[in-house]
Amino acid sequence: MSEFIVETHQLTKSYADKKVLDNLTLQLEPGLVHGIVGNNGAGKSTLLKILLGLSSADSGSSQIMHCDSQTIKPALRTAIGYINADYQLPEHLNISQLAQLQKAHFVDWDQALFEQIIASIDVNQKHHVGQLSRGQKTSVNLALTMAQKPKLLILDEPTAGLDMSSQQFVFDMLLTNDYFEKHTILYCTHRSEELERIADNVVVLNNGKLVAQGDVNHIINQVSHWRVCFDSPFKQLSTVPGLLSSRLMDDVYYFSVNSFAGDLTDFFNQNTAAEVQQIQPNFAKAVAALTNTTTTRVKLAGEV
Amino acid sequence: MKALIHAEFLRLKPLTIRCLGLNLLILLLVGERLPAFLLSGQGLFIVTIIYAVAATLTGIHQGSLLNQPNQRAFLFHRPIAPVAICNGVVAAAMASFTLAFVLPLVVIVGGALWWFQSVTLGHLNVFFDITVLCFCCYLAGLLKHQTQILVGALIVLLPLFMVFVGIGSIALMLLCLALFMLNRRMFSASETRKIDSLSQAVLLSMPLQLVCMLVLSFAFALIYQLSINLFDDKHKGDWMTYWSDGSYQQISRVPREQRVQLLLNRDIAQNPDMSAQLLPNFVYQYPFNNAHEITYFKGNAVLPTDDKRDTLALNNNQLTVSSTFAITLKAGGDKISSIDVFYDSAETLIAIVYQPQILSENGLPFAQIIEIDAHGKTLIDRIIEFESGWPLTYQLRHFIMSPLLAGLNTLLVEQNPNRFANGFQPQKPVLWLMILVCLMSLWLTHRLVDKLAMTKKERLCWLAINTLTGVIGLLTLLLIYRPFKNTTPEVQNST
């Protein structure tokens, strides 16, 4: 039996002519918080839907908790919690009725935990879902999912559209809950700063491809950033080794390149650079560089 | 599962209440005219359309939940098999459907009819068929891509459904299967596999459901026939006459005594003083209980005079009808196998006389219709030739082709006080409208083919199936609206 809780092998999925997942091979270990990050349309949500058996791949295979995700047994779903950004709870039910509905299906349902979370967001259980704010709905959703006591919690952009306090609530729930210290969380977002706080392992997707995987430091070290001033406009972008992205601001070029390219000081100096400076790397910049597309970066820097 | 059904039912509650409101609104708008409204073809058409649309909307309402991935995820990511989830959702819908459509149909419409007139098997039959139609519309509403499939399928099938529920069901079944097979490409482009599965589940279950409904229809028809032919002796020997001009006469649907009672009721109803004292129990001496003993001279029948009619009397609240009330056909000549007498109007009686020993110029048995006025003056209205054939066969065929129409015809006969029924004959504009709708459906089919980007083979299949459905509908129209036989009365065997 595989040691990985989630495993995909050459997973490919297309919508019309667009490849959303492109030969994605991925292995995630149990007991960690895995962050999946990428731009909109990078294939994050599609990957999760395929893993949950809510969508099928065009080719390749995927396993979740040692089970083929296309043939997940109903019983296995008790062990998997799932929340997505557009997740719409039935608005005609009140919170209490929702809890009853969940309780009837999930054997490990923790009513005390559910009530504790609901109490902390200050809503009445008689309130209908339709009456709640977006943040409250997310919190209720989180309460419903956490009370299921899943061994694997899958969160697909749970904080999308939430204000700061609601986001904080979500993180507090996840980070301070002892239960999830022992179990696995798959956290999918396009906001890298969220992952920096909670992820043990980060998966960076770009156009359906895996571009980097590892802990936060590993991702940061994947990219080096350079600030360069040239005497004359620099038009040799394609010659920059390992270039990931570039931008031009106030006649100053900012380059993000793959770390394997090494020290680029000499390269820039040879190209009439007046000033070359390596910038302190950070996670957000690294992710942004890794998830940029080639066409975008050339336009940004070369044509401005 | 129970929790799921309950939750889903709560979701449908507002819609259910609105549908109930719709029913009440119809009742209020139509009021006392409801029975007449329903018994008219147009009225039934309108009511059926309203119910069908409401059922479709229910389906679409639920389908929106099941077919949208983000909403569906809440239901489908559960430790229950997806089929069980679908079943739960459909079960909730059935509960809502029963409350919103079936109960109002039976309670409100049936109740109104019962209040104003007695409910008959014909009513039940029609209700049953409307329920089947509503159920089909609901299932269609559940599907994804309703805007394309639903509009196409319903426009093709609605005219069929309106009159040909029997064959319409089969057509729907074929069409749905065809759509399913041919639209796989469209479905495969869907975002998630489960949507396909749901569509497949609904599409595949639809034929099964319809087959069940058809089986029930047949069972219903058989029970109906058995109840008439086995359990009710008074109906034995009943026969139905189909005139060559397309109308028909179902003479013996009710016992003869009851029929005469109806005649008397109608007469008495014209006199308020008498109708107030009418009681259901009365003695009637039927003079022609043995047709073999009656002989007949053409054109020489005598009607009771006004004086004799006065002999009708109420005696201790019991109406006794003397034999003098009946027609006396004076003896002489050939034996008569059967004779039925009706009031055509307040002043005219009609006698239908059948003499199997005498054949027409075409060598066929025939019956004569004789009009007899209040003064006993007789006039041979026309001669009807019979062809061999059993009315039961026709009735069953009629029912299989269209339970709705057969039911409606039965209903019309049952409701007709003088037992003359022309059947449900659609007005010519309605017929043309149906043809127009069929043509529109063909046009729409063509447009849909363009949208779906099918291969040439698929395109031809799709067009052929839709065309076939329309042609079948039109052929059925012809078959149903032009009864092809004048059947020989069963009483022929006893001569």
Side-chain angles (χ1 to χ4, degrees), chain B residues 141-363:
Chain B
L142 272 183
L143 298 177
K144 200 183 175 227
H145 304 295
Q146 302 98 339
T147 47
Q148 290 181 15
I149 292 176
L150 242 188
V151 174
L154 285 186
I155 285 188
V156 170
L157 292 167
L158 257 182
L160 299 179
F161 265 131
M162 299 325 301
V163 193
F164 317 113
V165 174
I167 202 152
S169 303
I170 298 167
L172 178 69
M173 193 163 65
L174 289 173
L175 188 70
C176 286
L177 279 174
L179 283 168
F180 167 65
M181 297 303 291
L182 296 171
N183 291 346
R184 281 187 73 87
R185 181 176 299 175
M186 188 169 73
F187 283 124
S188 65
S190 305
E191 191 179 356
T192 66
R193 186 177 62 84
K194 281 295 187 298
I195 290 174
D196 298 350
S197 299
L198 177 66
S199 297
Q200 286 166 17
V202 171
L203 281 167
L204 290 174
S205 70
M206 191 182 283
L208 184 69
Q209 302 281 2
L210 288 173
V211 166
C212 291
M213 289 292 180
L214 281 177
V215 168
L216 280 173
S217 281
F218 285 120
F220 191 80
L222 279 176
I223 291 167
Y224 189 30
Q225 291 298 335
L226 283 175
S227 68
I228 289 171
N229 292 293
L230 294 181
F231 303 115
D232 190 352
D233 285 341
K234 288 174 182 174
H235 286 96
K236 276 190 174 174
D238 286 357
W239 52 279
M240 189 184 273
T241 304
Y242 298 93
W243 310 131
S244 54
D245 64 359
S247 64
Y248 77 91
Q249 208 165 19
Q250 191 166 354
I251 291 169
S252 305
R253 179 59 62 197
V254 291
R256 293 182 175 199
E257 292 81 357
Q258 192 182 337
R259 193 164 70 240
V260 175
Q261 180 188 13
L262 285 169
L263 293 172
L264 289 172
N265 285 350
R266 201 183 69 160
D267 253 10
I268 292 167
Q270 291 168 0
N271 184 340
D273 294 337
M274 290 184 74
S275 63
Q277 299 170 64
L278 181 68
L279 288 176
N281 296 322
F282 67 94
V283 178
Y284 176 63
Q285 297 169 6
Y286 190 64
F288 300 128
N289 51 5
N290 188 343
H292 297 284
E293 294 175 359
I294 300 165
T295 52
Y296 157 67
F297 282 112
K298 193 194 304 182
N300 199 14
V302 177
L303 189 73
T305 62
D306 287 341
D307 291 337
K308 285 178 180 173
R309 195 177 291 188
D310 287 339
T311 60
L312 293 173
L314 284 168
N315 183 13
N316 294 329
N317 287 336
Q318 193 174 56
L319 183 65
T320 305
V321 183
S322 71
S323 60
T324 55
F325 171 66
I327 305 170
T328 305
L329 294 170
K330 288 188 176 173
D334 300 309
K335 286 183 178 178
I336 296 173
S337 280
S338 71
I339 182 162
D340 283 277
V341 183
F342 308 92
Y343 273 113
D344 186 38
S345 67
E347 300 299 327
T348 310
L349 283 174
I350 287 185
I352 299 171
V353 181
Y354 173 51
Q355 296 170 277
Q357 296 85 352
I358 302 174
L359 299 179
S360 71
E361 291 173 357
N362 297 324

Side-chain angles (χ1 to χ4, degrees), chain B residues 58-166:
Chain B
T58 309
I60 291 174
H61 184 60
Q62 276 201 305
S64 66
L65 170 81
L66 297 170
N67 290 324
Q68 287 178 16
N70 293 328
Q71 294 192 26
R72 196 168 44 81
F74 180 76
L75 281 178
F76 276 80
H77 183 61
R78 281 176 186 281
I80 319 173
V83 174
I85 294 172
C86 282
N87 287 345
V89 170
V90 172
M94 287 300 100
S96 161
F97 180 75
T98 305
L99 272 176
F101 301 110
V102 180
L103 277 183
L105 271 172
V106 174
V107 175
I108 298 176
V109 181
L113 283 170
W114 177 80
W115 183 262
F116 294 110
Q117 298 176 30
S118 60
V119 179
T120 63
L121 280 172
H123 285 117
L124 297 176
N125 200 345
V126 173
F127 293 164
F128 178 79
D129 289 328
I130 294 177
T131 308
V132 173
L133 171 67
C134 289
F135 183 65
C136 294
C137 289
Y138 161 73
L139 285 178
L142 272 183
L143 298 177
K144 200 183 175 227
H145 304 295
Q146 302 98 339
T147 47
Q148 290 181 15
I149 292 176
L150 242 188
V151 174
L154 285 186
I155 285 188
V156 170
L157 292 167
L158 257 182
L160 299 179
F161 265 131
M162 299 325 301
V163 193
F164 317 113
V165 174

Side-chain angles (χ1 to χ4, degrees), chain A residues 13 15 46 49 52-56 69-71 73-78 80-82 84 86-90 92-93 97-98 100-102 104-106 141 144 148, chain B residues 1-14 65 68-82 85 188-196:
Chain A
K13 172 82 178 176
Y15 290 134
T46 305
K49 281 178 187 164
L52 286 165
L54 297 172
S55 179
S56 60
S69 58
Q70 295 306 304
T71 56
K73 296 274 185 306
L76 185 62
R77 292 194 186 272
T78 15
I80 305 171
Y82 174 55
N84 70 28
D86 302 317
Y87 208 87
Q88 291 188 17
L89 296 171
H92 62 285
L93 297 179
Q97 287 168 334
L98 261 181
Q100 290 302 314
L101 177 60
Q102 296 296 87
H105 292 145
F106 296 95
N141 208 348
L144 287 170
Q148 293 170 23
Chain B
M1 173 68 92
K2 225 168 82 179
L4 189 68
I5 295 173
H6 179 244
E8 189 57 20
F9 183 73
L10 286 175
R11 202 169 82 85
L12 290 172
K13 205 166 76 177
L65 170 81
Q68 287 178 16
N70 293 328
Q71 294 192 26
R72 196 168 44 81
F74 180 76
L75 281 178
F76 276 80
H77 183 61
R78 281 176 186 281
I80 319 173
I85 294 172
S188 65
S190 305
E191 191 179 356
T192 66
R193 186 177 62 84
K194 281 295 187 298
I195 290 174
D196 298 350

Side-chain angles (χ1 to χ4, degrees), chain A residues 133-189:
Chain A
S133 69
R134 190 182 172 91
Q136 285 172 326
K137 280 180 192 169
T138 304
S139 305
V140 169
N141 208 348
L142 194 65
L144 287 170
T145 310
M146 290 175 74
Q148 293 170 23
K149 294 280 180 184
K151 291 187 172 60
L152 171 63
L153 178 62
I154 297 179
L155 304 165
D156 185 4
E157 308 209 25
T159 58
L162 297 190
D163 58 26
M164 292 304 289
S165 63
S166 300
Q167 286 180 30
Q168 191 58 46
F169 175 83
V170 173
F171 290 129
D172 288 348
M173 280 297 115
L174 292 174
L175 298 173
T176 60
N177 193 304
D178 295 340
Y179 180 82
F180 288 107
E181 283 186 9
K182 302 167 202 161
H183 295 94
T184 313
I185 297 177
L186 207 55
Y187 192 101
C188 181
T189 182

